[in-house]
Amino acid sequence: MITLFKNPSQIITVETNGLNFKRGISMNAISLLENHSLLIEDGKILDLIPNNSLGRKKFDQIIDLKDKVILPGLIDCHTHTAFAGSRSGEFRERLAGVSYEEIAEKGGGINSTVRSVRQSSLEDLVELMKPRIQRFIQQGVTTLEIKSGYGLSYFDEIKILKALDQIKQWSAITIIPTFLGAHTFPPEYQHEKNGYIKLLTEQILPYVAQNKLAKFCDGFCEKTAFNSNEIDQIFTVATELGLPLKLHTEQFNNIGGLETALKHNATSVDHLEVLADTDIQKLSKSETVSVLLPGVSFFLNYGFAPARKLIENDAIVALATDYNPGSSHISNLHLIISMACISMGMSVEEAISAVTINAAKALGLENEVGSLEIGKSADLMVLDTTEFSDLVYFVGENKNYMTIKNGNIIYQKSE
Ligand code: NIG
Ligand code: FE
C-alpha cells in the first residue's frame, strides 16, 4: 500500500547521506525541503518527491497536511519511565536548600524510589507506565528508551524488565529496555559492595542477557554510586554477554567514568555536566554519543553540560529528558529542546539532530530510524505550524499535530 502525504509546508529530513549520525557542526544540516511530498510504502519511506512531478499518479491513500511541517519522529534515548511513588517531599527539601547528593547519602534519592518499586507488582508498573508513554506519543515521540534501575535485587530488576517486555507488546511506539542494575547500591549491600557486584555479574546480568530482557547495560559512575573499577568489572561481564553499554557519568564528579566507558566502546555516555575541558577531545573521534540532559541541570539547579564545546570539538551530541522522579521530573521533550537552545547555546537545527538521528545512534537504531531517508521506517511527527523552528520557539507547548509510526497514524490532535 502506498500513502501520499501531500501539501506539507516543509519537510525536515535530517538527511545524512547514508552516514546515519551527525557529528559537530554538521548537526546544523537538517535538510529542509519545500514544495515536496512524502511517499510511504508498507511502513517505510518510499520517496520524497517534488510536487510538480506528482502528475496523475494514483495512490492507495492521500493525507493532506495542509501546510504543516513534517519531521522525523522524535526519539527520547534516556528515560527512567519505569518508576513508582513520588519524591515530592525530597523536591521540597531541595527547594529549601538540601542538595540532591545529601538526600542520596541519607538513604533517600534513588533508594527512595527503589522502596516504592519493590512494593509495586509487575502489573502496577505496567499500569503506571501506560499514561506516561501516551504523553510521549502525544509529543511525536516514536522511539522511547526506558531503564530499569529502581529494583536493585534479582527479583525486582527482572520484574521491571518483564514489565517493560509487556509494555513493548502494548505500546504503539518502539520501547528500548536498558538494564540499569548498577544504578546505586541498595541498602542491604551498603556495607558489602562486592556482594552486590557479584549478584549483578554472576546472576542478574546473565539472566537478562540470556532472556534478551534488555538491549543495553547501563551504570552510574559517581561518588554516591559506583566507582570506575566497579563499572569496569560490570562492563567486562556485560560485554562478554553481548550487551552494548551506556554510562551515567561526569554528573557531579570526574571519577574516571568517561575513561572506562570509552575503553569499553560504550554506545553512549550520558549527563557530562562536569565534563573536563581536557576530556572533550576524547569524544571528538569516538563514535560514542554524548547524551546531554538539560532537564537535570534545570531541575537540580546546577551547571549545564558543555554542549557548545562538544559540538565545536566534533562530538556526536544527543538530547533526552532523563524523565525520572528525582533529578528530572520532566517528560516534555519539546521543553528539553528549548532549554538546550536557550541555556546551552545549541541552534534549533542542532537540537533537532540531537533528538532524531543522534538519539537513534545512542540506541543503536540509526540504520532504521532518526531521519527521513528512503528505506527507513516511516516514523514521523507533524507540527501544527508552517515553520519548523516553532518546535523550539513555543517553549513547553505541544505543537505536535500527528504522530505516525511505521506509516500508521497513532495520534492526531483533536481540532
Ligand atoms: O539520570 N544519575 C542517576 N540517575 C538518574 C536519577 C535517578 C533518580 O534520582 O531517581 C539520572 O539523573
Ligand atoms: Fe538517567
Side-chain angles (χ1 to χ4, degrees):
M1 177 167 118
I2 298 185
T3 305
L4 170 73
F5 284 83
K6 70 168 192 183
N7 293 329
S9 61
Q10 302 172 329
I11 305 179
I12 304 297
T13 67
V14 196
E15 168 78 47
T16 67
N17 297 312
L19 185 62
N20 286 327
F21 63 85
K22 288 187 185 282
R23 191 187 274 293
I25 53 166
S26 77
M27 289 172 69
N28 280 289
I30 56 169
S31 303
L32 185 160
L33 297 176
E34 285 175 335
N35 304 312
H36 275 65
S37 296
L38 176 69
L39 283 175
I40 291 176
E41 183 175 31
D42 301 332
K44 304 261 189 249
I45 312 277
L46 178 64
D47 213 348
L48 293 131
I49 51 173
N51 290 338
N52 59 17
S53 67
L54 275 175
R56 288 169 186 275
K57 286 195 195 96
K58 289 259 177 290
F59 304 97
D60 301 300
Q61 189 186 18
I62 297 178
I63 295 171
D64 188 346
L65 290 179
K66 298 183 186 131
D67 251 0
K68 297 180 181 6
V69 180
I70 299 180
L71 285 156
L74 302 184
I75 298 175
D76 195 340
C77 65
H78 180 143
T79 86
H80 303 254
T81 304
F83 67 85
S86 164
R87 306 240 292 271
S88 67
E90 289 181 3
F91 178 65
R92 293 167 65 97
E93 274 184 68
R94 281 199 306 97
L95 297 181
V98 187
S99 80
Y100 178 75
E101 285 169 292
E102 281 163 352
I103 291 171
E105 271 153 21
K106 55 182 198 186
I110 295 168
N111 268 316
S112 142
T113 303
V114 168
R115 286 189 284 280
S116 305
V117 166
R118 287 181 175 180
Q119 281 161 16
S120 307
S121 66
L122 187 155
E123 294 72 28
D124 292 338
L125 292 174
V126 169
E127 291 311 311
L128 282 166
M129 279 191 272
K130 286 180 177 173
R132 295 174 187 162
I133 291 166
Q134 269 334 113
R135 280 207 303 277
F136 281 109
I137 292 175
Q138 284 164 12
Q139 298 175 51
V141 172
T142 48
T143 301
L144 179 68
E145 187 258 15
I146 305 182
K147 301 174 195 299
S148 69
Y150 290 125
L152 310 188
S153 69
Y154 187 91
F155 176 81
D156 294 290
E157 279 297 306
I158 287 164
K159 176 178 76 184
I160 301 171
L161 292 173
K162 288 192 169 160
L164 287 174
D165 207 48
Q166 286 196 14
I167 275 291
K168 243 170 138 175
Q169 314 304 322
W170 168 86
S171 169
I173 59 171
T174 304
I175 303 292
I176 301 295
T178 293
F179 173 60
L180 180 55
H183 201 183
T184 194
F185 289 92
E188 63 276 18
Y189 283 99
Q190 227 39 266
H191 303 290
E192 207 214 322
K193 298 196 164 165
N194 273 333
Y196 188 61
I197 305 214
K198 265 178 92 121
L199 174 69
L200 282 177
T201 52
E202 292 175 13
Q203 294 186 49
I204 314 184
L205 262 169
Y207 184 91
V208 169
Q210 268 146 32
N211 292 281
K212 299 195 172 7
L213 287 173
K215 178 164 177 184
F216 293 97
C217 172
D218 198 345
F220 185 21
C221 189
E222 186 51 63
K223 284 186 181 165
T224 53
F226 295 78
N227 65 35
S228 58
N229 285 333
E230 292 160 345
I231 294 292
D232 189 47
Q233 288 176 54
I234 295 162
F235 277 13
T236 302
V237 173
T239 303
E240 281 164 15
L241 291 165
L243 282 169
L245 308 167
K246 292 177 161 286
L247 188 64
H248 288 68
T249 192
E250 333 294 280
Q251 181 180 5
F252 301 111
N253 299 283
N254 295 307
I255 58 164
L258 180 73
E259 206 66 38
T260 309
L262 293 177
K263 171 182 147 193
H264 286 274
N265 236 327
T267 305
S268 72
V269 283
D270 303 46
H271 277 286
L272 309 182
E273 289 86 342
V274 299
L275 181 65
D277 277 356
T278 45
D279 283 338
I280 291 178
Q281 282 290 332
K282 295 182 182 152
L283 289 156
S284 56
K285 300 240 158 28
S286 102
E287 282 204 18
T288 299
V289 179
S290 301
V291 178
L292 309 184
L293 311 164
V296 179
S297 300
F298 176 68
F299 197 78
L300 299 183
N301 193 24
Y302 71 120
F304 288 85
R308 276 266 49 86
K309 287 184 185 167
L310 280 162
I311 292 172
E312 274 146 25
N313 281 282
D314 258 355
I316 307 167
V317 174
L319 289 164
T321 59
D322 197 12
Y323 177 46
N324 77 74
S327 72
S328 177
H329 197 222
I330 304 173
S331 59
N332 184 335
L333 188 56
H334 299 197
L335 175 62
I336 296 298
I337 316 175
S338 298
M339 275 183 205
C341 294
I342 296 167
S343 299
M344 299 166 99
M346 287 175 71
S347 69
V348 170
E349 290 82 356
E350 287 166 349
I352 288 173
S353 294
V355 287
T356 55
I357 193 62
N358 286 356
K361 182 151 178 78
L363 296 179
L365 293 174
E366 68 275 21
N367 296 329
E368 288 108 70
V369 293
S371 58
L372 305 181
E373 295 180 88
I374 294 171
K376 281 194 161 184
S377 295
D379 287 9
L380 347 161
M381 72 182 296
V382 177
L383 281 184
D384 198 3
T385 170
T386 54
E387 164 54 44
F388 75 92
S389 304
D390 286 348
L391 175 65
V392 179
Y393 174 53
F394 281 75
V395 179
E397 195 172 319
N398 186 6
K399 298 297 281 178
N400 181 44
Y401 171 74
M402 194 184 262
T403 310
I404 296 156
K405 180 72 190 173
N406 294 324
N408 299 313
I409 299 174
I410 57 166
Y411 165 79
Q412 183 165 355
K413 196 186 257 174
S414 42
E415 305 273 346

